[in-house]
Amino acid sequence: MEGAGVKLHRGFGFGDPEAFDPFLLFDDFRGEMPSDYIKGFPWHPHRGIETITYVLEGTVEHGDSLGNRGTLGAGDIQWMTAGSGIMHQEMPTGNAKGQMHGFQLWGNLPSSLKMTDPRYQDIASKEIPEVTDDDGTVVRVVAGEFWGKRGPVDGIAADPQYLDVTIPAGVKKTFKIDTYRRAFAYVFQGAAAFVDASKPSGVLLEKEVFGQEVNIRDLSGNRTVVRFGSGDEVTVQAGEEGVRFLLISGAPISEPVAWHGPIVMNTREELMQAMQDLRNGTFIRPAH
């Protein structure tokens, strides 16, 4: 439960920040009825991070201390660089059936950008390129480059590749991944088996939600995070109902992390300064 009472599934976060560096937290917020999400995420602060919010169903009305106001609909993206400090709110509303579904990913900022000016952008669904392969595989390119297309989310310190991938039933597909980057998949529809090239024996890497290695015959199903190693490709075998998942990677920052709720800095002293700024009204800094 987060915000004022939003039920969500946390894929990872508030654990070992090195495990998914440069990413800090990943939430899947979905509900079948308004009581699951309607209280939303009222005004709250962020400092030292960037967030990508991806809406699949319903809408999210948002506002921030920069004066931005808007509504994210199905397929839309919100990118926010909190930098030196921002206050914002996110209030979800369901679709015609009362359903709400979306994701939020937190990316860390390196020490050199922790106190950069806040930035913000809304990206409409129609601006996100979609490519279809001959076997029916469909990929929405939210960020980074893939199959000759580049996603509209740009300028993020983690330099992420963020793909929304749909693979039909029974299809086997291989995706290239830069060996320097940290990568994970998040399955949210159907099921599939994932094989990492860094495991030549054919054994899957651990499913973070279970913390154990699994046999190649096992499938990663709904709401499963699969973390990959240092291989340069990932092979996906879709199950009987096909699979839809996010495939996300980014360049590690490899710096100390001091984390308290919505504020992520490098040292405890910087966290204490942020708390003091909140108390004395200096959390929002003038733009440089």
PDB file of all heavy atoms in Angstrom, residues 156-191:
ATOM      1  N   ILE A 156      17.698  10.930 -20.061  1.00  0.00           N
ATOM      2  CA  ILE A 156      17.715  10.348 -18.721  1.00  0.00           C
ATOM      3  C   ILE A 156      19.121   9.850 -18.404  1.00  0.00           C
ATOM      4  O   ILE A 156      19.779   9.222 -19.239  1.00  0.00           O
ATOM      5  CB  ILE A 156      16.681   9.213 -18.608  1.00  0.00           C
ATOM      6  CG1 ILE A 156      15.271   9.806 -18.730  1.00  0.00           C
ATOM      7  CG2 ILE A 156      16.814   8.460 -17.295  1.00  0.00           C
ATOM      8  CD1 ILE A 156      14.174   8.797 -18.575  1.00  0.00           C
ATOM      9  N   ALA A 157      19.586  10.144 -17.195  1.00  0.00           N
ATOM     10  CA  ALA A 157      20.972   9.847 -16.813  1.00  0.00           C
ATOM     11  C   ALA A 157      21.305   8.361 -16.951  1.00  0.00           C
ATOM     12  O   ALA A 157      22.410   8.000 -17.334  1.00  0.00           O
ATOM     13  CB  ALA A 157      21.230  10.315 -15.383  1.00  0.00           C
ATOM     14  N   ALA A 158      20.357   7.484 -16.642  1.00  0.00           N
ATOM     15  CA  ALA A 158      20.599   6.043 -16.720  1.00  0.00           C
ATOM     16  C   ALA A 158      20.671   5.538 -18.152  1.00  0.00           C
ATOM     17  O   ALA A 158      20.999   4.376 -18.376  1.00  0.00           O
ATOM     18  CB  ALA A 158      19.497   5.286 -15.970  1.00  0.00           C
ATOM     19  N   ASP A 159      20.358   6.410 -19.128  1.00  0.00           N
ATOM     20  CA  ASP A 159      20.376   6.045 -20.546  1.00  0.00           C
ATOM     21  C   ASP A 159      19.650   4.715 -20.758  1.00  0.00           C
ATOM     22  O   ASP A 159      20.205   3.760 -21.301  1.00  0.00           O
ATOM     23  CB  ASP A 159      21.822   5.944 -21.042  1.00  0.00           C
ATOM     24  CG  ASP A 159      21.896   5.723 -22.557  1.00  0.00           C
ATOM     25  OD1 ASP A 159      20.962   6.138 -23.255  1.00  0.00           O
ATOM     26  OD2 ASP A 159      22.884   5.114 -23.012  1.00  0.00           O
ATOM     27  N   PRO A 160      18.388   4.628 -20.350  1.00  0.00           N
ATOM     28  CA  PRO A 160      17.718   3.326 -20.370  1.00  0.00           C
ATOM     29  C   PRO A 160      17.271   2.899 -21.760  1.00  0.00           C
ATOM     30  O   PRO A 160      17.014   3.716 -22.644  1.00  0.00           O
ATOM     31  CB  PRO A 160      16.495   3.564 -19.482  1.00  0.00           C
ATOM     32  CG  PRO A 160      16.184   5.014 -19.683  1.00  0.00           C
ATOM     33  CD  PRO A 160      17.521   5.696 -19.830  1.00  0.00           C
ATOM     34  N   GLN A 161      17.176   1.598 -21.937  1.00  0.00           N
ATOM     35  CA  GLN A 161      16.383   1.008 -23.008  1.00  0.00           C
ATOM     36  C   GLN A 161      15.136   0.467 -22.326  1.00  0.00           C
ATOM     37  O   GLN A 161      15.227  -0.331 -21.386  1.00  0.00           O
ATOM     38  CB  GLN A 161      17.123  -0.106 -23.724  1.00  0.00           C
ATOM     39  CG  GLN A 161      16.337  -0.673 -24.912  1.00  0.00           C
ATOM     40  CD  GLN A 161      17.024  -1.844 -25.570  1.00  0.00           C
ATOM     41  OE1 GLN A 161      17.368  -2.821 -24.907  1.00  0.00           O
ATOM     42  NE2 GLN A 161      17.244  -1.770 -26.869  1.00  0.00           N
ATOM     43  N   TYR A 162      13.977   0.913 -22.759  1.00  0.00           N
ATOM     44  CA  TYR A 162      12.706   0.560 -22.111  1.00  0.00           C
ATOM     45  C   TYR A 162      11.776   0.086 -23.217  1.00  0.00           C
ATOM     46  O   TYR A 162      11.298   0.877 -24.028  1.00  0.00           O
ATOM     47  CB  TYR A 162      12.150   1.792 -21.393  1.00  0.00           C
ATOM     48  CG  TYR A 162      10.971   1.580 -20.468  1.00  0.00           C
ATOM     49  CD1 TYR A 162      11.021   2.023 -19.147  1.00  0.00           C
ATOM     50  CD2 TYR A 162       9.790   0.993 -20.904  1.00  0.00           C
ATOM     51  CE1 TYR A 162       9.942   1.872 -18.279  1.00  0.00           C
ATOM     52  CE2 TYR A 162       8.703   0.837 -20.056  1.00  0.00           C
ATOM     53  CZ  TYR A 162       8.787   1.287 -18.747  1.00  0.00           C
ATOM     54  OH  TYR A 162       7.700   1.131 -17.906  1.00  0.00           O
ATOM     55  N   LEU A 163      11.524  -1.220 -23.255  1.00  0.00           N
ATOM     56  CA  LEU A 163      10.721  -1.828 -24.310  1.00  0.00           C
ATOM     57  C   LEU A 163       9.490  -2.509 -23.719  1.00  0.00           C
ATOM     58  O   LEU A 163       9.571  -3.163 -22.682  1.00  0.00           O
ATOM     59  CB  LEU A 163      11.543  -2.871 -25.074  1.00  0.00           C
ATOM     60  CG  LEU A 163      12.909  -2.431 -25.609  1.00  0.00           C
ATOM     61  CD1 LEU A 163      13.613  -3.617 -26.261  1.00  0.00           C
ATOM     62  CD2 LEU A 163      12.781  -1.278 -26.584  1.00  0.00           C
ATOM     63  N   ASP A 164       8.359  -2.365 -24.392  1.00  0.00           N
ATOM     64  CA  ASP A 164       7.131  -3.081 -24.071  1.00  0.00           C
ATOM     65  C   ASP A 164       6.968  -4.133 -25.161  1.00  0.00           C
ATOM     66  O   ASP A 164       6.684  -3.812 -26.317  1.00  0.00           O
ATOM     67  CB  ASP A 164       5.959  -2.095 -24.051  1.00  0.00           C
ATOM     68  CG  ASP A 164       4.614  -2.755 -23.794  1.00  0.00           C
ATOM     69  OD1 ASP A 164       4.535  -3.999 -23.765  1.00  0.00           O
ATOM     70  OD2 ASP A 164       3.620  -2.020 -23.633  1.00  0.00           O
ATOM     71  N   VAL A 165       7.182  -5.406 -24.792  1.00  0.00           N
ATOM     72  CA  VAL A 165       7.299  -6.488 -25.770  1.00  0.00           C
ATOM     73  C   VAL A 165       6.114  -7.448 -25.667  1.00  0.00           C
ATOM     74  O   VAL A 165       5.775  -7.914 -24.572  1.00  0.00           O
ATOM     75  CB  VAL A 165       8.606  -7.283 -25.551  1.00  0.00           C
ATOM     76  CG1 VAL A 165       8.748  -8.381 -26.602  1.00  0.00           C
ATOM     77  CG2 VAL A 165       9.818  -6.351 -25.564  1.00  0.00           C
ATOM     78  N   THR A 166       5.504  -7.754 -26.806  1.00  0.00           N
ATOM     79  CA  THR A 166       4.454  -8.770 -26.884  1.00  0.00           C
ATOM     80  C   THR A 166       4.898  -9.856 -27.866  1.00  0.00           C
ATOM     81  O   THR A 166       5.210  -9.555 -29.021  1.00  0.00           O
ATOM     82  CB  THR A 166       3.124  -8.166 -27.352  1.00  0.00           C
ATOM     83  OG1 THR A 166       2.727  -7.119 -26.462  1.00  0.00           O
ATOM     84  CG2 THR A 166       2.036  -9.234 -27.377  1.00  0.00           C
ATOM     85  N   ILE A 167       4.945 -11.116 -27.399  1.00  0.00           N
ATOM     86  CA  ILE A 167       5.357 -12.241 -28.241  1.00  0.00           C
ATOM     87  C   ILE A 167       4.205 -13.240 -28.314  1.00  0.00           C
ATOM     88  O   ILE A 167       3.675 -13.652 -27.279  1.00  0.00           O
ATOM     89  CB  ILE A 167       6.618 -12.924 -27.680  1.00  0.00           C
ATOM     90  CG1 ILE A 167       7.768 -11.913 -27.565  1.00  0.00           C
ATOM     91  CG2 ILE A 167       7.040 -14.089 -28.564  1.00  0.00           C
ATOM     92  CD1 ILE A 167       9.034 -12.497 -26.973  1.00  0.00           C
ATOM     93  N   PRO A 168       3.805 -13.651 -29.510  1.00  0.00           N
ATOM     94  CA  PRO A 168       2.688 -14.596 -29.648  1.00  0.00           C
ATOM     95  C   PRO A 168       3.018 -15.963 -29.044  1.00  0.00           C
ATOM     96  O   PRO A 168       4.184 -16.308 -28.814  1.00  0.00           O
ATOM     97  CB  PRO A 168       2.497 -14.705 -31.169  1.00  0.00           C
ATOM     98  CG  PRO A 168       3.168 -13.509 -31.741  1.00  0.00           C
ATOM     99  CD  PRO A 168       4.305 -13.202 -30.817  1.00  0.00           C
ATOM    100  N   ALA A 169       1.980 -16.754 -28.840  1.00  0.00           N
ATOM    101  CA  ALA A 169       2.114 -18.088 -28.255  1.00  0.00           C
ATOM    102  C   ALA A 169       3.102 -18.943 -29.042  1.00  0.00           C
ATOM    103  O   ALA A 169       3.063 -18.999 -30.273  1.00  0.00           O
ATOM    104  CB  ALA A 169       0.754 -18.772 -28.224  1.00  0.00           C
ATOM    105  N   GLY A 170       4.011 -19.581 -28.289  1.00  0.00           N
ATOM    106  CA  GLY A 170       4.930 -20.534 -28.877  1.00  0.00           C
ATOM    107  C   GLY A 170       6.119 -19.962 -29.606  1.00  0.00           C
ATOM    108  O   GLY A 170       7.003 -20.711 -30.038  1.00  0.00           O
ATOM    109  N   VAL A 171       6.195 -18.649 -29.777  1.00  0.00           N
ATOM    110  CA  VAL A 171       7.286 -18.034 -30.543  1.00  0.00           C
ATOM    111  C   VAL A 171       8.526 -17.894 -29.662  1.00  0.00           C
ATOM    112  O   VAL A 171       8.439 -17.527 -28.488  1.00  0.00           O
ATOM    113  CB  VAL A 171       6.856 -16.661 -31.096  1.00  0.00           C
ATOM    114  CG1 VAL A 171       8.052 -15.915 -31.694  1.00  0.00           C
ATOM    115  CG2 VAL A 171       5.756 -16.838 -32.142  1.00  0.00           C
ATOM    116  N   LYS A 172       9.690 -18.171 -30.255  1.00  0.00           N
ATOM    117  CA  LYS A 172      10.965 -18.021 -29.564  1.00  0.00           C
ATOM    118  C   LYS A 172      11.696 -16.828 -30.149  1.00  0.00           C
ATOM    119  O   LYS A 172      11.823 -16.703 -31.369  1.00  0.00           O
ATOM    120  CB  LYS A 172      11.795 -19.292 -29.737  1.00  0.00           C
ATOM    121  CG  LYS A 172      13.076 -19.342 -28.913  1.00  0.00           C
ATOM    122  CD  LYS A 172      13.763 -20.691 -29.112  1.00  0.00           C
ATOM    123  CE  LYS A 172      15.000 -20.839 -28.253  1.00  0.00           C
ATOM    124  NZ  LYS A 172      15.639 -22.161 -28.446  1.00  0.00           N
ATOM    125  N   LYS A 173      12.187 -15.939 -29.292  1.00  0.00           N
ATOM    126  CA  LYS A 173      12.767 -14.679 -29.751  1.00  0.00           C
ATOM    127  C   LYS A 173      14.027 -14.356 -28.968  1.00  0.00           C
ATOM    128  O   LYS A 173      14.099 -14.596 -27.754  1.00  0.00           O
ATOM    129  CB  LYS A 173      11.743 -13.550 -29.536  1.00  0.00           C
ATOM    130  CG  LYS A 173      11.946 -12.367 -30.451  1.00  0.00           C
ATOM    131  CD  LYS A 173      11.497 -12.710 -31.856  1.00  0.00           C
ATOM    132  CE  LYS A 173      11.659 -11.523 -32.778  1.00  0.00           C
ATOM    133  NZ  LYS A 173      11.390 -11.883 -34.172  1.00  0.00           N
ATOM    134  N   THR A 174      15.038 -13.794 -29.642  1.00  0.00           N
ATOM    135  CA  THR A 174      16.283 -13.405 -28.984  1.00  0.00           C
ATOM    136  C   THR A 174      16.472 -11.894 -29.093  1.00  0.00           C
ATOM    137  O   THR A 174      16.283 -11.318 -30.175  1.00  0.00           O
ATOM    138  CB  THR A 174      17.485 -14.128 -29.614  1.00  0.00           C
ATOM    139  OG1 THR A 174      17.345 -15.537 -29.406  1.00  0.00           O
ATOM    140  CG2 THR A 174      18.789 -13.664 -28.975  1.00  0.00           C
ATOM    141  N   PHE A 175      16.820 -11.278 -27.971  1.00  0.00           N
ATOM    142  CA  PHE A 175      17.033  -9.834 -27.909  1.00  0.00           C
ATOM    143  C   PHE A 175      18.468  -9.547 -27.498  1.00  0.00           C
ATOM    144  O   PHE A 175      18.978 -10.133 -26.541  1.00  0.00           O
ATOM    145  CB  PHE A 175      16.075  -9.197 -26.898  1.00  0.00           C
ATOM    146  CG  PHE A 175      14.631  -9.391 -27.232  1.00  0.00           C
ATOM    147  CD1 PHE A 175      13.941 -10.512 -26.797  1.00  0.00           C
ATOM    148  CD2 PHE A 175      13.947  -8.454 -27.993  1.00  0.00           C
ATOM    149  CE1 PHE A 175      12.607 -10.703 -27.111  1.00  0.00           C
ATOM    150  CE2 PHE A 175      12.617  -8.629 -28.317  1.00  0.00           C
ATOM    151  CZ  PHE A 175      11.941  -9.744 -27.872  1.00  0.00           C
ATOM    152  N   LYS A 176      19.119  -8.626 -28.212  1.00  0.00           N
ATOM    153  CA  LYS A 176      20.482  -8.229 -27.889  1.00  0.00           C
ATOM    154  C   LYS A 176      20.487  -7.249 -26.722  1.00  0.00           C
ATOM    155  O   LYS A 176      19.638  -6.371 -26.638  1.00  0.00           O
ATOM    156  CB  LYS A 176      21.150  -7.572 -29.108  1.00  0.00           C
ATOM    157  CG  LYS A 176      21.373  -8.511 -30.273  1.00  0.00           C
ATOM    158  CD  LYS A 176      22.448  -9.550 -29.956  1.00  0.00           C
ATOM    159  CE  LYS A 176      22.764 -10.418 -31.159  1.00  0.00           C
ATOM    160  NZ  LYS A 176      23.803 -11.423 -30.854  1.00  0.00           N
ATOM    161  N   ILE A 177      21.474  -7.401 -25.820  1.00  0.00           N
ATOM    162  CA  ILE A 177      21.625  -6.499 -24.678  1.00  0.00           C
ATOM    163  C   ILE A 177      23.101  -6.136 -24.547  1.00  0.00           C
ATOM    164  O   ILE A 177      23.975  -7.007 -24.635  1.00  0.00           O
ATOM    165  CB  ILE A 177      21.130  -7.155 -23.373  1.00  0.00           C
ATOM    166  CG1 ILE A 177      19.620  -7.356 -23.420  1.00  0.00           C
ATOM    167  CG2 ILE A 177      21.498  -6.307 -22.153  1.00  0.00           C
ATOM    168  CD1 ILE A 177      19.053  -8.024 -22.197  1.00  0.00           C
ATOM    169  N   ASP A 178      23.386  -4.865 -24.346  1.00  0.00           N
ATOM    170  CA  ASP A 178      24.750  -4.401 -24.128  1.00  0.00           C
ATOM    171  C   ASP A 178      25.284  -5.031 -22.839  1.00  0.00           C
ATOM    172  O   ASP A 178      24.657  -4.923 -21.775  1.00  0.00           O
ATOM    173  CB  ASP A 178      24.742  -2.872 -24.012  1.00  0.00           C
ATOM    174  CG  ASP A 178      26.138  -2.265 -23.958  1.00  0.00           C
ATOM    175  OD1 ASP A 178      27.063  -2.948 -23.479  1.00  0.00           O
ATOM    176  OD2 ASP A 178      26.289  -1.106 -24.367  1.00  0.00           O
ATOM    177  N   THR A 179      26.437  -5.686 -22.902  1.00  0.00           N
ATOM    178  CA  THR A 179      26.968  -6.389 -21.732  1.00  0.00           C
ATOM    179  C   THR A 179      27.339  -5.451 -20.600  1.00  0.00           C
ATOM    180  O   THR A 179      27.482  -5.887 -19.455  1.00  0.00           O
ATOM    181  CB  THR A 179      28.210  -7.217 -22.123  1.00  0.00           C
ATOM    182  OG1 THR A 179      29.181  -6.349 -22.723  1.00  0.00           O
ATOM    183  CG2 THR A 179      27.844  -8.300 -23.114  1.00  0.00           C
ATOM    184  N   TYR A 180      27.502  -4.149 -20.883  1.00  0.00           N
ATOM    185  CA  TYR A 180      27.855  -3.195 -19.838  1.00  0.00           C
ATOM    186  C   TYR A 180      26.642  -2.814 -19.003  1.00  0.00           C
ATOM    187  O   TYR A 180      26.765  -2.307 -17.888  1.00  0.00           O
ATOM    188  CB  TYR A 180      28.477  -1.939 -20.469  1.00  0.00           C
ATOM    189  CG  TYR A 180      28.778  -0.843 -19.471  1.00  0.00           C
ATOM    190  CD1 TYR A 180      29.766  -1.016 -18.492  1.00  0.00           C
ATOM    191  CD2 TYR A 180      28.081   0.356 -19.500  1.00  0.00           C
ATOM    192  CE1 TYR A 180      30.038  -0.016 -17.572  1.00  0.00           C
ATOM    193  CE2 TYR A 180      28.354   1.366 -18.583  1.00  0.00           C
ATOM    194  CZ  TYR A 180      29.330   1.175 -17.630  1.00  0.00           C
ATOM    195  OH  TYR A 180      29.598   2.164 -16.719  1.00  0.00           O
ATOM    196  N   ARG A 181      25.459  -3.084 -19.513  1.00  0.00           N
ATOM    197  CA  ARG A 181      24.242  -2.600 -18.873  1.00  0.00           C
ATOM    198  C   ARG A 181      23.631  -3.652 -17.948  1.00  0.00           C
ATOM    199  O   ARG A 181      23.833  -4.849 -18.108  1.00  0.00           O
ATOM    200  CB  ARG A 181      23.230  -2.193 -19.949  1.00  0.00           C
ATOM    201  CG  ARG A 181      23.769  -1.125 -20.884  1.00  0.00           C
ATOM    202  CD  ARG A 181      22.949  -1.017 -22.141  1.00  0.00           C
ATOM    203  NE  ARG A 181      21.666  -0.390 -21.898  1.00  0.00           N
ATOM    204  CZ  ARG A 181      21.469   0.919 -21.896  1.00  0.00           C
ATOM    205  NH1 ARG A 181      22.470   1.736 -22.128  1.00  0.00           N
ATOM    206  NH2 ARG A 181      20.278   1.430 -21.685  1.00  0.00           N
ATOM    207  N   ARG A 182      22.861  -3.178 -16.968  1.00  0.00           N
ATOM    208  CA  ARG A 182      22.065  -4.060 -16.107  1.00  0.00           C
ATOM    209  C   ARG A 182      20.678  -4.195 -16.737  1.00  0.00           C
ATOM    210  O   ARG A 182      20.072  -3.194 -17.123  1.00  0.00           O
ATOM    211  CB  ARG A 182      21.934  -3.462 -14.703  1.00  0.00           C
ATOM    212  CG  ARG A 182      23.253  -3.372 -13.955  1.00  0.00           C
ATOM    213  CD  ARG A 182      23.523  -4.632 -13.157  1.00  0.00           C
ATOM    214  NE  ARG A 182      24.839  -4.589 -12.537  1.00  0.00           N
ATOM    215  CZ  ARG A 182      25.101  -3.965 -11.390  1.00  0.00           C
ATOM    216  NH1 ARG A 182      24.134  -3.324 -10.739  1.00  0.00           N
ATOM    217  NH2 ARG A 182      26.313  -3.979 -10.880  1.00  0.00           N
ATOM    218  N   ALA A 183      20.181  -5.408 -16.808  1.00  0.00           N
ATOM    219  CA  ALA A 183      18.917  -5.643 -17.501  1.00  0.00           C
ATOM    220  C   ALA A 183      17.986  -6.506 -16.673  1.00  0.00           C
ATOM    221  O   ALA A 183      18.421  -7.381 -15.928  1.00  0.00           O
ATOM    222  CB  ALA A 183      19.171  -6.292 -18.859  1.00  0.00           C
ATOM    223  N   PHE A 184      16.688  -6.255 -16.823  1.00  0.00           N
ATOM    224  CA  PHE A 184      15.682  -7.112 -16.209  1.00  0.00           C
ATOM    225  C   PHE A 184      14.439  -7.113 -17.084  1.00  0.00           C
ATOM    226  O   PHE A 184      14.227  -6.219 -17.915  1.00  0.00           O
ATOM    227  CB  PHE A 184      15.343  -6.660 -14.783  1.00  0.00           C
ATOM    228  CG  PHE A 184      14.556  -5.376 -14.687  1.00  0.00           C
ATOM    229  CD1 PHE A 184      13.167  -5.374 -14.639  1.00  0.00           C
ATOM    230  CD2 PHE A 184      15.204  -4.140 -14.626  1.00  0.00           C
ATOM    231  CE1 PHE A 184      12.438  -4.199 -14.540  1.00  0.00           C
ATOM    232  CE2 PHE A 184      14.491  -2.955 -14.524  1.00  0.00           C
ATOM    233  CZ  PHE A 184      13.108  -2.979 -14.478  1.00  0.00           C
ATOM    234  N   ALA A 185      13.629  -8.147 -16.918  1.00  0.00           N
ATOM    235  CA  ALA A 185      12.327  -8.226 -17.571  1.00  0.00           C
ATOM    236  C   ALA A 185      11.253  -8.263 -16.492  1.00  0.00           C
ATOM    237  O   ALA A 185      11.470  -8.786 -15.398  1.00  0.00           O
ATOM    238  CB  ALA A 185      12.240  -9.470 -18.446  1.00  0.00           C
ATOM    239  N   TYR A 186      10.083  -7.712 -16.823  1.00  0.00           N
ATOM    240  CA  TYR A 186       8.943  -7.788 -15.916  1.00  0.00           C
ATOM    241  C   TYR A 186       7.745  -8.307 -16.715  1.00  0.00           C
ATOM    242  O   TYR A 186       7.245  -7.638 -17.626  1.00  0.00           O
ATOM    243  CB  TYR A 186       8.625  -6.433 -15.303  1.00  0.00           C
ATOM    244  CG  TYR A 186       7.457  -6.503 -14.330  1.00  0.00           C
ATOM    245  CD1 TYR A 186       7.622  -7.048 -13.067  1.00  0.00           C
ATOM    246  CD2 TYR A 186       6.179  -6.070 -14.692  1.00  0.00           C
ATOM    247  CE1 TYR A 186       6.556  -7.146 -12.179  1.00  0.00           C
ATOM    248  CE2 TYR A 186       5.109  -6.164 -13.818  1.00  0.00           C
ATOM    249  CZ  TYR A 186       5.310  -6.708 -12.563  1.00  0.00           C
ATOM    250  OH  TYR A 186       4.256  -6.814 -11.684  1.00  0.00           O
ATOM    251  N   VAL A 187       7.311  -9.521 -16.384  1.00  0.00           N
ATOM    252  CA  VAL A 187       6.180 -10.150 -17.072  1.00  0.00           C
ATOM    253  C   VAL A 187       4.878  -9.668 -16.448  1.00  0.00           C
ATOM    254  O   VAL A 187       4.701  -9.744 -15.230  1.00  0.00           O
ATOM    255  CB  VAL A 187       6.262 -11.686 -16.982  1.00  0.00           C
ATOM    256  CG1 VAL A 187       5.089 -12.326 -17.694  1.00  0.00           C
ATOM    257  CG2 VAL A 187       7.580 -12.179 -17.568  1.00  0.00           C
ATOM    258  N   PHE A 188       3.960  -9.167 -17.294  1.00  0.00           N
ATOM    259  CA  PHE A 188       2.670  -8.730 -16.738  1.00  0.00           C
ATOM    260  C   PHE A 188       1.461  -9.305 -17.459  1.00  0.00           C
ATOM    261  O   PHE A 188       0.331  -9.070 -17.056  1.00  0.00           O
ATOM    262  CB  PHE A 188       2.586  -7.194 -16.674  1.00  0.00           C
ATOM    263  CG  PHE A 188       2.691  -6.473 -17.991  1.00  0.00           C
ATOM    264  CD1 PHE A 188       1.552  -6.094 -18.681  1.00  0.00           C
ATOM    265  CD2 PHE A 188       3.925  -6.142 -18.518  1.00  0.00           C
ATOM    266  CE1 PHE A 188       1.636  -5.415 -19.882  1.00  0.00           C
ATOM    267  CE2 PHE A 188       4.026  -5.443 -19.709  1.00  0.00           C
ATOM    268  CZ  PHE A 188       2.878  -5.085 -20.396  1.00  0.00           C
ATOM    269  N   GLN A 189       1.693 -10.088 -18.499  1.00  0.00           N
ATOM    270  CA  GLN A 189       0.615 -10.850 -19.128  1.00  0.00           C
ATOM    271  C   GLN A 189       1.205 -12.145 -19.677  1.00  0.00           C
ATOM    272  O   GLN A 189       2.302 -12.142 -20.232  1.00  0.00           O
ATOM    273  CB  GLN A 189      -0.030 -10.074 -20.292  1.00  0.00           C
ATOM    274  CG  GLN A 189      -0.923  -8.931 -19.882  1.00  0.00           C
ATOM    275  CD  GLN A 189      -1.528  -8.216 -21.097  1.00  0.00           C
ATOM    276  OE1 GLN A 189      -1.508  -8.742 -22.207  1.00  0.00           O
ATOM    277  NE2 GLN A 189      -2.044  -7.031 -20.868  1.00  0.00           N
ATOM    278  N   GLY A 190       0.461 -13.247 -19.537  1.00  0.00           N
ATOM    279  CA  GLY A 190       0.924 -14.511 -20.060  1.00  0.00           C
ATOM    280  C   GLY A 190       2.135 -15.035 -19.312  1.00  0.00           C
ATOM    281  O   GLY A 190       2.340 -14.745 -18.133  1.00  0.00           O
ATOM    282  N   ALA A 191       2.964 -15.828 -20.014  1.00  0.00           N
ATOM    283  CA  ALA A 191       4.139 -16.429 -19.382  1.00  0.00           C
ATOM    284  C   ALA A 191       5.161 -16.781 -20.450  1.00  0.00           C
ATOM    285  O   ALA A 191       4.837 -16.944 -21.624  1.00  0.00           O
ATOM    286  CB  ALA A 191       3.750 -17.681 -18.592  1.00  0.00           C
TER     287      ALA A 191
END
